[in-house]
Amino acid sequence: MVKNDKWIIKNALEKKIIESFEAGQVKKVNGNGVISFGTSSYGYDMRLSDEFMVMKAHDGKTVLDPKQSAESLFESVKVKDHIVVPPNSIILGKTIEYFRIPRDVVTIAFGKSTYARCGIFVNVTPFEPEWEGFVTLSIANTTSLPVKVYANEGIAQVLFLGASEVCEVSYADRKGKYQAQKSITSAKI
């Protein structure tokens, strides 16, 4: 069952499942329109931080391999209010919010429609039961034009799905490799 806004607010406030939490839907900051973030009817719109990992220039022969550390292929970038994603490329970002997923919940997330309409696709894997951390996001520009992506504004919506029973082995029990990540984390095995 998808958890509603009342469940999200209660658990964010009492159990700290989301820190840097917005209890309502924020559409304006200081009178200026923003890409919305905060609690929605059945989800939470996560914000993008100002920290990114951008792919360095390469020789055209380099291959990204999920079994090999790709950290050396990226450079860390901190921005004031936005970053431009080059055409047909990806960058990695992270959320402002820190999540702590209960043992009887799993999440799925989708990129916001405002960005999808500009050719930006946000890939976020499910947050498994008892996973916690800042979310690393893959932000892909599928167009032939550069696209602005805004820091401190909404980037993706996460839905919380309640299980009919508690899992036997959680992400924390398995000592998952992305547990409690504090920074943008590239692929690991």
Side-chain angles (χ1 to χ4, degrees):
M1 175 189 327
V2 177
K3 302 296 189 178
N4 66 16
D5 52 348
K6 289 179 186 175
W7 182 92
I8 294 167
I9 292 168
K10 179 180 188 241
N11 282 275
L13 296 174
E14 293 177 7
K15 297 182 180 175
K16 306 260 188 247
I17 66 164
I18 305 171
E19 283 197 87
S20 288
F21 174 70
E22 284 292 335
Q25 183 90 142
V26 178
K27 296 180 180 182
K28 286 190 175 189
V29 174
N30 298 326
N32 297 314
V34 297
I35 298 172
S36 63
F37 58 89
T39 306
S40 62
S41 303
Y42 286 96
Y44 187 84
D45 290 357
M46 305 179 285
R47 292 170 287 177
L48 185 60
S49 81
D50 59 358
E51 299 172 40
F52 299 91
M53 288 181 70
V54 178
M55 193 157 306
K56 295 177 186 175
H58 56 84
D59 58 12
K61 297 176 186 174
T62 303
V63 175
L64 280 175
D65 183 347
K67 291 184 175 184
Q68 301 292 321
S69 173
E71 299 245 345
S72 65
L73 300 176
F74 290 89
E75 64 181 313
S76 295
V77 175
K78 191 168 176 120
V79 301
K80 183 175 179 168
D81 66 351
H82 72 273
I83 189 166
V84 175
V85 184
N88 303 307
S89 66
I90 67 161
I91 63 172
L92 300 178
K94 79 171 199 168
T95 58
I96 289 174
E97 293 84 1
Y98 189 92
F99 291 86
R100 291 178 187 84
I101 307 305
R103 193 173 182 99
D104 62 345
V105 170
V106 67
T107 75
I108 53 174
F110 303 94
K112 293 195 54 87
S113 61
T114 300
Y115 281 122
R117 287 172 169 86
C118 295
I120 293 291
F121 286 89
V122 179
N123 187 19
V124 185
T125 60
F127 312 163
E128 294 187 46
E130 292 195 323
W131 174 82
E132 73 170 77
F134 291 100
V135 180
T136 295
L137 308 159
S138 173
I139 303 164
N141 178 357
T142 63
T143 74
S144 59
L145 299 171
V147 179
K148 275 186 184 180
V149 174
Y150 291 89
N152 303 306
E153 297 187 22
I155 188 69
Q157 182 179 75
V158 60
L159 303 177
F160 296 83
L161 306 173
S164 58
E165 58 186 64
V166 174
C167 65
E168 285 190 35
V169 180
S170 74
Y171 195 80
D173 295 339
R174 283 188 279 122
K175 298 183 179 11
K177 59 189 167 193
Y178 301 112
Q179 183 71 321
Q181 61 191 15
K182 303 280 191 246
S183 59
I184 299 170
T185 307
S186 63
K188 300 180 186 182
I189 59 167

